[in-house]
């Protein structure tokens, strides 16, 4: 049996056969519990860490077809950016309730028109200023909320030494 977590639009899947544990259930659990928390799309656990993964693909056929109704996706937009940051913080509650206390890596896999490596690096650097890296240093109690943040394209994710063990694959039934 293939182990795959499917994105909300059904276009891509995250293969997790090599994971210690994986879930795409956070959204449904938050919704069913009627808690006003934002959720990341996927969570993976390997031997050393937990990966909280947010996935946004504005290059799919579905996203392009609806773009005339809404402004084009811009990951640097203040509102979109704040949403991505909140998803990390709100996901920590889920990890805590599951007893997942390994170092946490937050990975934002983003595909967008005109998106390039430079844009993703700028976005990662901006995210670092809003995630609790400095707070961890200031308090210096040996407790870490986050170990690392990455912003990658699908191709970069799949080629990455660590993340590539869990490839993001285009689903056959997808028409994007």
């Amino acid at each position: 049996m293939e182990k795959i977590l499917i994105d909300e639009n059904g276009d891509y899947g995250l293969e997790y056969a090599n994971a210690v544990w994986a879930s795409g259930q956070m959204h449904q659990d938050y919704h069913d519990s009627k808690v006003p928390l934002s959720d990341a799309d996927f969570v993976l656990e390997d031997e050393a860490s937990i990966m909280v993964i947010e996935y946004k693909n504005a290059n799919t056929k579905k996203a392009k077809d609806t773009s005339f109704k809404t402004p084009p996706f811009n990951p640097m937009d203040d509102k979109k950016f704040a949403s991505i940051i909140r998803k990390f913080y709100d996901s920590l509650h889920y990890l805590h309730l599951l007893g997942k206390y390994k170092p946490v890596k937050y990975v934002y896999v983003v595909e967008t028109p005109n998106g390039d490596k430079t844009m993703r690096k700028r976005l990662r650097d901006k995210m670092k200023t809003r995630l609790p890296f400095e707070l961890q240093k200031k308090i210096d109690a040996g407790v870490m909320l986050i170990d690392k943040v990455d912003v990658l394209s699908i191709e970069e994710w799949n080629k990455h030494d660590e993340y590539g063990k869990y490839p993001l694959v285009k689903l056959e039934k997808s028409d994007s």
Side-chain angles (χ1 to χ4, degrees):
M1 182 173 130
E2 193 173 303
K3 293 185 173 185
I4 192 161
L5 298 171
I6 298 173
D7 83 285
E8 62 191 14
N9 295 317
D11 294 321
Y12 278 80
L14 181 68
E15 294 181 2
Y16 67 93
N18 295 321
V20 170
W21 172 83
S23 179
Q25 193 62 31
M26 191 183 320
H27 175 79
Q28 193 62 51
D29 288 343
Y30 281 1
H31 176 76
D32 292 348
S33 303
K34 297 176 178 46
V35 294
L37 297 173
S38 296
D39 56 275
D41 293 310
F42 310 117
V43 185
L44 289 175
E45 179 180 4
D46 66 14
E47 295 77 25
S49 63
I50 303 288
M51 290 164 261
V52 175
I53 304 152
E54 180 60 21
Y55 166 83
K56 177 66 175 167
N57 191 342
N59 288 337
T60 65
K61 184 179 184 321
K62 183 178 179 182
K64 289 175 184 173
D65 286 347
T66 60
S67 66
F68 68 91
K69 298 175 192 166
T70 59
F73 175 71
N74 175 3
M76 298 297 277
D77 173 78
D78 288 341
K79 224 174 166 177
K80 298 283 186 204
F81 179 78
S83 168
I84 295 305
I85 297 300
R86 179 174 179 198
K87 287 178 182 217
F88 169 78
Y89 285 106
D90 286 0
S91 296
L92 291 178
H93 302 294
Y94 197 76
L95 296 176
H96 180 76
L97 289 170
L98 291 172
K100 303 290 184 186
Y101 299 114
K102 292 179 179 176
V104 176
K105 297 175 182 178
Y106 188 33
V107 187
Y108 185 19
V109 179
V110 61
E111 293 284 343
T112 183
N114 304 316
D116 61 10
K117 197 170 192 122
T118 302
M119 181 277 302
R120 289 187 295 277
K121 183 180 183 305
R122 283 188 12 247
L123 184 56
R124 184 204 62 212
D125 291 347
K126 185 176 178 182
M127 289 173 71
K128 280 183 178 180
T129 67
R130 292 288 189 83
L131 293 168
F133 292 104
E134 288 302 315
L135 179 63
Q136 291 171 165
K137 282 186 205 174
K138 180 176 177 51
I139 294 176
D140 194 24
V143 176
M144 301 272 294
L145 296 174
I146 189 168
D147 185 55
K148 183 178 184 178
V149 62
D150 278 316
V151 178
L152 306 169
S153 68
I154 293 171
E155 181 181 3
E156 290 166 336
W157 168 276
N158 286 339
K159 288 182 176 180
H160 193 276
D161 289 343
E162 180 181 358
Y163 310 138
K165 296 174 192 172
Y166 317 100
L168 274 162
V169 295
K170 186 170 174 25
L171 301 177
E172 288 182 28
K173 64 181 178 189
S174 171
D175 60 352
S176 62

